[in-house]
Amino acid sequence: MNLENIEFIWCSAFFILLAGYAILDGFDLGVGMLHLFSKKDHERRIMLNAIGPVWDGNEVWLVTAGGALFAGFPDIYATLCSAFYEPIMVLLSGLIFRAAAIEFRSKQPMAWWRWMWDVLFSLASLIIALSLGIVLGNLIRGIEINEHKEFVGSLSSLFNPYTYLVSILTVALFWMHGAIYIVMKTEGELHDKLRKWVNPAIIFFIMCYALTTMATLIYFPHMSQIIQDRPILFLIGVVDMFAIANIPREINRGKDWLAFVSSCVNIVCLMALFAVGSYPNVVRAINDPDHLSLTIYNSASSHTTLQILLLIAIIGIPLVIAYTFAVYWIFKGKVKLEATSY
């Protein structure tokens, strides 16, 4: 097998895992950010139990993606962990405290106890989304790297107007995704109440998306260069636009599950646009993009390692996908509170 092909295949597998995480944990984060908008304890329990059976399994996709990056592109993994050490620590802290909030929230009946964990649940979900946006924004913009593939910038260099914009877009994306998911999983009075949240979430996302797209095309034209060279890739953007436009259409028709599918397609297209725009770079060197950037070709593991990893991925990824489908099939339908519920 040609080395260049196997590197591309392994990079594609990594982005599939990353897209899987964005789709699955994305609605968890969205539900978390919307959690405090419900004032009644019964409503908050329903929202919590909408993600209760699946939230921990959804995080597996992030762990698997991290493992794939470490095994297939160790130089990139090392540089990312060094450059984004503080944001990653904040992200991991958010994941830990969100898990604690979900598990402990309903263990005691006191109002102050549940309110404390509710606030922590929402705050952790927001922090996770913002941290992901900071990392993503800097990967588009680029970071300072030397000839030894080491990060030589400062923490303050990671925080700039564009990364703030991408962070807000990430929050808006997950907020919309979570709103659609929770509408799909509820019924009755709460369902009607939550349905009113969807359109504002869609409008907020579209505004953030349009603003971020304009900023990207103006200030970071390298993200559209490969699409100019290969016009067929423009179809990704076209599909994305149709998917976004279909979300309010399906909501108005009462087809919540189709709106959720469209939201999933939107996330896949956004990840694809990011991957296509960055290719072949994974970590762009803002100080010398042409010579110091870390690509999937100059930072990959050996040929033998990639072949072994590919064999593992061919076996493992379908198993993860099958397990995920099985869990969602078992817990399909509307949420019902029981004695064992969160």
Side-chain angles (χ1 to χ4, degrees):
M1 183 179 294
N2 184 275
L3 179 59
E4 181 174 329
N5 289 338
I6 200 171
E7 287 168 334
F8 178 80
I9 292 171
W10 187 247
C11 182
S12 300
F14 167 71
F15 272 101
I16 289 172
L17 293 170
L18 214 55
Y21 172 75
I23 291 172
L24 299 176
D25 206 33
F27 67 72
D28 293 340
L29 298 175
V31 172
M33 288 184 281
L34 291 166
H35 190 67
L36 291 180
F37 285 87
S38 288
K39 303 304 180 183
K40 299 178 181 178
D41 182 73
H42 178 75
E43 293 179 350
R44 290 183 178 180
R45 288 190 65 200
I46 291 177
M47 294 179 70
L48 200 58
N49 282 275
I51 65 172
V54 297
W55 68 268
D56 48 354
N58 294 342
E59 290 182 355
V60 171
W61 288 78
L62 180 62
V63 176
T64 309
L69 184 64
F70 171 74
F73 307 100
D75 291 341
I76 293 172
Y77 180 88
T79 302
L80 287 178
C81 288
S82 298
F84 300 109
Y85 180 82
E86 289 83 0
I88 290 175
M89 289 298 103
V90 172
L91 169 64
L92 293 178
S93 298
L95 291 172
I96 292 170
F97 283 109
R98 181 184 67 164
I102 292 174
E103 294 295 337
F104 291 143
R105 191 259 180 200
S106 298
K107 296 300 183 183
Q108 298 292 336
M110 296 86 75
W112 67 266
W113 173 272
R114 295 190 171 187
W115 175 256
M116 176 183 68
W117 292 113
D118 285 341
V119 171
L120 189 58
F121 176 46
S122 288
L123 186 60
S125 299
L126 177 62
I127 287 173
I128 294 168
L130 288 172
S131 300
L132 290 170
I134 288 172
V135 174
L136 186 62
N138 278 287
L139 290 178
I140 295 173
R141 178 178 178 270
I143 58 176
E144 294 183 41
I145 305 174
N146 64 17
E147 63 275 10
H148 303 295
K149 302 181 180 180
E150 298 173 344
F151 174 64
V152 293
S154 62
L155 176 61
S156 60
S157 68
L158 301 180
F159 298 93
N160 52 77
Y162 183 73
T163 58
Y164 293 147
L165 186 59
V166 177
S167 295
I168 295 172
L169 173 62
T170 306
V171 170
L173 173 63
F174 292 157
W175 184 24
M176 178 186 72
H177 196 49
I180 297 169
Y181 177 80
I182 199 65
V183 166
M184 184 178 67
K185 295 293 289 184
T186 54
E187 58 186 351
E189 181 182 348
L190 178 58
H191 172 85
D192 296 336
K193 177 181 177 180
L194 294 174
R195 180 175 287 278
K196 297 177 182 178
W197 298 359
V198 176
N199 282 337
I202 295 172
I203 293 171
F204 180 50
F205 166 72
I206 292 175
M207 291 173 61
C208 292
Y209 187 23
L211 188 59
T212 306
T213 300
M214 287 190 295
T216 303
L217 293 176
I218 293 172
Y219 296 108
F220 307 104
H222 67 275
M223 292 297 293
S224 62
Q225 186 59 51
I226 192 170
I227 297 178
Q228 296 178 31
D229 297 337
R230 300 182 181 182
I232 188 66
L233 296 175
F234 186 75
L235 289 176
I236 299 174
V238 174
V239 172
D240 192 24
M241 289 296 100
F242 276 105
I244 295 172
N246 193 51
I247 293 173
R249 175 175 176 269
E250 299 299 345
I251 290 292
N252 292 332
R253 293 176 58 202
K255 302 290 186 180
D256 301 329
W257 71 275
L258 286 176
F260 183 72
V261 170
S262 295
S263 184
C264 294
V265 173
N266 171 42
I267 292 176
V268 171
C269 289
L270 288 175
M271 289 299 301
L273 288 171
F274 168 73
V276 166
S278 301
Y279 180 84
N281 297 332
V282 179
V283 182
R284 181 174 182 265
I286 193 172
N287 47 322
D288 190 356
D290 295 330
H291 300 99
L292 297 180
S293 296
L294 303 187
T295 73
I296 64 174
Y297 303 118
N298 66 17
S299 302
S301 295
S302 67
H303 189 191
T304 302
T305 300
L306 289 174
Q307 285 184 326
I308 295 172
L309 290 173
L310 184 59
L311 179 61
I312 295 173
I314 291 173
I315 299 172
I317 291 180
L319 290 177
V320 173
I321 294 174
Y323 164 80
T324 302
F325 271 107
V327 169
Y328 280 86
W329 179 261
I330 293 171
F331 293 101
K332 66 180 180 178
K334 305 294 184 179
V335 178
K336 305 288 184 181
L337 290 183
E338 300 175 354
T340 57
S341 300
Y342 286 106

